[in-house]
Amino acid sequence: MSIPAFGLGTFRLKDEVVKASVATAVELGYRAIDTAQIYDNEAAVGEALAESGVAREALYITTKIWIENLAADKLIDSLQESLRKLKTDYVDLTLIHWPSPDQAVSVAETMHALVEAKKRGLTREIGISNFTVALMQEAIDAVGADQIATNQIELSPFLQNQTVADYARRNGIAVTSYMTLAYGDALKDTTIIEIAARHHATPAQIVLAWALQLGYAVIPSSTRRENLQSNLLAQQLTLTEADMQQIAALERNGRLVSPEGLAPAWD
């Protein structure tokens, strides 16, 4: 299983805004697009992709199952509805968006339902998001690590999530980083700015290159053509060991996403 290293995030983008972002990104060469049921933008993303003229097999579409649909009797119906909105017969990757609050639905139940969705051809790969080490182990115990393509987690220079990332890596589970730019805060950091100046690069390129160099997939979002184009160039940057160590030193457990009632007990 291989997760594309570079994709487009669509969190908080809706309607014509998300359509324009996806259309521009695909035109620039993006092929991996990340959405979710709760983003309320699957239909707009589907329209943009259908209008792009890019062959379906050239795209890698990810969606995420919302907590209300994690039960075995709801998951497949909800995924089929996502497919209708996305105007496709299958998605490439389906994730559990958040673990079920208070374990109302067990990890095992949802993972087995995802495996069934995969068997039916509704999704090529399955995975998890916002899972701690303990929750990852539950998923592994349920279906085996080889079934789990990725754990998509908040990960930035200020929240490096090393415990979770290391555990995933030891089990052969890819890490996808979201909020990699820390809502833009990382772009204002003096260390990042200094490294960017040395490389004649933008701060965003430096942060994305850092995550890519650590072996993580990234899914930055933008509504601006110049940023979408610039972000892609992060793939061509190579940071020095000194650069990587400087960024590693920025760790401060700076978590930005921890919704009350949704967030698990973080590692």
Side-chain angles (χ1 to χ4, degrees):
M1 291 184 286
S2 71
I3 303 293
F6 208 98
L8 178 76
T10 62
F11 176 54
R12 289 189 163 174
L13 306 183
K14 290 190 181 181
D15 305 323
E16 292 306 312
V17 173
V18 79
K19 275 191 74 175
S21 175
V22 171
T24 304
V26 171
E27 183 192 328
L28 292 170
Y30 286 78
R31 290 295 178 265
I33 312 292
D34 180 279
T35 182
Q37 293 176 342
I38 197 64
Y39 294 175
D40 192 27
N41 66 10
E42 288 174 316
V45 168
E47 284 177 32
L49 293 176
E51 292 167 11
S52 73
V54 174
R56 174 63 185 93
E57 56 269 22
L59 297 166
Y60 190 99
I61 304 172
T62 298
T63 196
K64 310 180 198 80
I65 305 292
W66 188 239
I67 57 169
E68 292 168 358
N69 300 322
L70 293 177
D73 61 349
K74 292 182 180 176
L75 188 145
I76 284 176
D77 285 347
S78 82
L79 181 54
Q80 287 172 327
E81 178 62 21
S82 291
L83 297 182
R84 281 192 286 275
K85 290 177 179 176
L86 287 162
K87 300 182 188 303
T88 183
D89 296 332
Y90 69 95
V91 284
D92 298 273
L93 176 63
T94 304
L95 306 178
I96 298 175
H97 200 156
W98 288 87
S100 182
D102 301 319
Q103 300 261 6
V105 181
S106 71
V107 169
E109 178 178 340
T110 307
M111 292 305 299
H112 286 301
L114 281 175
V115 169
E116 178 60 27
K118 185 176 172 181
K119 283 179 185 169
R120 294 192 194 185
L122 305 177
T123 185
R124 296 278 171 89
E125 301 181 279
I126 63 174
I128 53 184
S129 182
N130 298 300
F131 268 41
T132 59
V133 166
L135 289 163
M136 268 196 289
Q137 189 57 56
E138 283 190 51
I140 291 167
D141 289 344
V143 298
D146 59 333
Q147 285 279 5
I148 304 168
T150 193
N151 186 8
Q152 186 178 124
I153 54 174
E154 182 184 350
L155 194 150
S156 76
F158 308 138
L159 179 75
Q160 296 178 27
N161 230 325
Q162 207 65 56
T163 303
V164 172
D166 287 348
Y167 194 82
R169 181 170 282 142
R170 284 201 301 276
N171 284 281
I173 298 169
V175 170
T176 301
S177 161
Y178 75 80
M179 216 61 71
T180 318
L181 305 178
Y183 275 142
D185 287 351
L187 313 186
K188 305 167 197 165
D189 182 84
T190 53
T191 299
I192 302 286
I193 291 168
E194 285 169 13
I195 296 170
R198 287 203 296 271
H199 287 269
H200 306 290
T202 67
Q205 287 169 346
I206 295 301
V207 176
L208 295 170
W210 163 79
L212 290 167
Q213 213 157 305
L214 289 172
Y216 307 143
V218 294
I219 45 170
S221 64
S222 181
T223 57
R224 298 176 62 186
R225 183 184 188 92
E226 57 268 37
N227 289 346
L228 289 166
Q229 194 156 26
S230 174
N231 287 348
L232 274 178
L233 298 175
Q235 298 172 95
Q236 299 170 23
L237 268 177
T238 302
L239 303 185
T240 67
E241 189 53 44
D243 296 334
M244 297 295 285
Q245 287 174 2
Q246 276 188 282
I247 298 172
L250 298 176
E251 166 65 53
R252 60 183 189 218
N253 197 31
R255 188 178 297 280
L256 296 172
V257 182
S258 190
E260 192 175 345
L262 264 186
W266 300 115
D267 292 299

